[in-house]
Amino acid sequence: MISKKENVLKLYRHEMPEFLPIMGEGIINNVPVSGYLERAAGGRDGYDWFGVHWMWKEGEPAPVPGPDFLLKDIADWREIVKFPDLDQFDWEQAAKKDRILDFNRREALLYQMIHNGIFERLHTLMGFEDALCALLTDPEEVRAFFEAMADYKCRLIDKIAEYYRPDIICYHDDWGTQRSLFFAPDIWRELIKEPTRRIVEHVHSKGILFELHSCGNIQDLIPEIVDELKVDGLNIMKLNDIPRMKRITGTKVVYNVYFDTQKLDVMESAGALTEQAVRQSIREEIMELSEGGCYIPALLLVRPEWTEIIMDEYESCREELYK
């Protein structure tokens, strides 16, 4: 049997794996801890290197920016937004803090995260409501900001490629709500698509695979993201119609899909959550989404009491699927 790393690579080469992979085995998600500060160090309270204040409360899954934002008017971004001087940053120390020296490259692919894509960075600086308004009221200024931010992201990718040497870069830019996109698809095409294409192409120029993380329902864009931006993977939520998207995109992209813990939360709030219900939900999800390959189940925001059950069902499904 091939190694878990080679098995995952088969997916990204558009081949059927020999057994069902899972994030954490053959592919390790490395979230920056204290190195490059796209968020506050350690993902807790503090400031990132753009000067944005991030707040975190005990028990919350992630920090949030605010409540005081740096940019009041998008037209002022050139004067207000201070891009980090990446050449003056201690990248060797950053890689050390982020555990890169300890990473076992023989056993796993290094899947390195970059938070705050161009749209996310806009709303961390302005606040969400004002950022959405700016897309409509000042599209030319937003476009100029996004192009400048794409330039910055490419410089950041240069440093990450040199000092972290990832196999895959997971680039974060959330574009959706529970039901649909934050904005009309044409807004995405006019303002976000081309700067993002440049970022994807720059990652590929370094010999690194590109995976897009985007929370929410973004399925209206997925065929375009796959066919035109040429991403290698999609790290998305199950609230997208994954089976339908797989029929459209074929084997051209890997679907790295979070377990539907929202469904389990709803069942719990209704008093209907049992161990058997968790097992059934996870099993149905894995069996449905694994059809045709191109799928990696992803553990994120999974409660500790569910982890053992989920892994047990994963092992059972893997054995059944790849006899």
Side-chain angles (χ1 to χ4, degrees):
M1 187 171 71
I2 64 172
S3 70
K4 293 176 179 178
K5 176 179 177 178
E6 284 297 321
N7 189 59
V8 173
L9 274 173
K10 286 177 75 71
L11 283 179
Y12 287 96
R13 294 170 182 152
H14 315 300
E15 302 170 9
M16 281 291 290
E18 293 191 10
F19 52 89
L20 181 67
I22 191 168
M23 286 295 293
E25 295 186 3
I27 176 171
I28 305 297
N29 185 349
N30 190 65
V31 181
V33 175
S34 299
Y36 54 95
L37 299 179
E38 291 286 277
R39 290 182 180 176
R44 298 294 188 260
D45 278 81
Y47 291 84
D48 65 24
W49 55 14
F50 280 85
V52 172
H53 182 212
W54 292 79
M55 300 180 299
W56 180 81
K57 294 182 180 179
E58 189 71 38
E60 292 294 322
V64 295
D68 298 319
F69 296 100
L70 299 176
L71 187 59
K72 307 302 181 184
D73 187 331
I74 186 62
D76 298 329
W77 71 268
R78 294 172 185 81
E79 291 74 37
I80 300 297
V81 179
K82 306 300 181 186
F83 289 86
D85 186 345
L86 299 179
D87 289 330
Q88 296 302 312
F89 190 68
D90 190 342
W91 284 98
E92 290 186 0
Q93 183 65 16
K96 182 178 180 181
K97 288 181 178 179
D98 288 340
R99 310 171 303 277
I100 296 303
L101 299 181
D102 300 326
F103 192 82
N104 187 343
R105 297 179 184 272
R106 294 178 60 185
E107 300 294 330
L109 300 171
L110 176 58
Y111 180 94
Q112 188 66 40
M113 290 178 124
I114 300 180
H115 291 114
N116 301 329
I118 60 175
F119 175 67
E120 288 184 355
R121 180 51 71 184
L122 178 64
H123 69 72
T124 67
L125 291 165
M126 294 193 72
F128 210 89
E129 183 176 346
D130 285 346
L132 289 175
C133 288
L135 297 177
L136 299 175
T137 61
D138 295 281
E140 293 305 320
E141 288 292 348
V142 171
R143 182 180 290 107
F145 171 82
F146 283 165
E147 291 292 347
M149 188 55 62
D151 290 340
Y152 158 74
K153 288 293 185 182
C154 290
R155 294 194 299 272
L156 176 61
I157 288 161
D158 289 340
K159 297 298 185 182
I160 292 172
E162 180 179 357
Y163 290 93
Y164 284 66
R165 297 184 294 116
D167 300 287
I168 302 170
I169 281 179
C170 179
Y171 168 87
H172 279 226
D173 213 11
D174 291 346
W175 295 333
T177 70
Q178 288 285 112
R179 296 182 178 180
S180 62
L181 296 166
F182 289 128
F183 29 69
D186 282 347
I187 294 291
W188 178 83
R189 294 183 184 108
E190 292 169 10
L191 299 176
I192 298 174
K193 180 179 178 180
E194 292 309 315
T196 304
R197 187 203 303 271
R198 284 207 291 120
I199 294 168
V200 177
E201 290 175 349
H202 195 72
V203 169
H204 285 161
S205 76
K206 300 293 178 181
I208 300 170
L209 296 166
F210 183 100
E211 187 150 298
L212 172 68
H213 164 95
S214 197
C215 281
N217 186 334
I218 65 164
Q219 64 187 21
D220 287 347
L221 302 177
I222 285 176
E224 219 166 324
I225 291 168
V226 174
D227 288 337
E228 298 186 31
L229 299 191
K230 308 294 185 184
V231 304
D232 302 289
L234 289 167
N235 180 220
I236 55 178
M237 301 172 72
K238 190 178 178 291
L239 53 85
N240 296 278
D241 188 344
I242 307 296
R244 175 171 168 263
M245 292 298 104
K246 288 179 70 175
R247 289 193 294 271
I248 293 171
T249 59
T251 61
K252 291 183 285 189
V253 70
V254 175
Y255 288 87
N256 185 353
V257 184
Y258 297 121
F259 284 115
D260 191 359
T261 57
Q262 290 182 322
K263 175 182 176 181
L264 301 181
D265 288 334
V266 170
M267 293 174 68
E268 184 177 54
S269 66
L273 189 66
T274 63
E275 178 178 329
Q276 184 56 38
V278 175
R279 288 185 179 278
Q280 181 178 344
S281 176
I282 296 301
R283 181 174 184 80
E284 289 176 353
E285 184 173 331
I286 291 175
M287 298 302 285
E288 177 187 39
L289 300 189
S290 60
E291 185 174 348
C294 306
Y295 166 59
I296 301 177
L299 289 161
L300 182 75
L301 306 182
V302 172
R303 296 187 190 179
E305 63 267 28
W306 295 345
T307 302
E308 185 176 347
I309 298 171
I310 290 173
M311 291 304 297
D312 188 45
E313 288 302 316
Y314 157 73
E315 293 288 351
S316 175
C317 289
R318 182 171 71 173
E319 183 176 342
E320 181 175 338
L321 285 164
Y322 294 87
K323 291 180 181 178

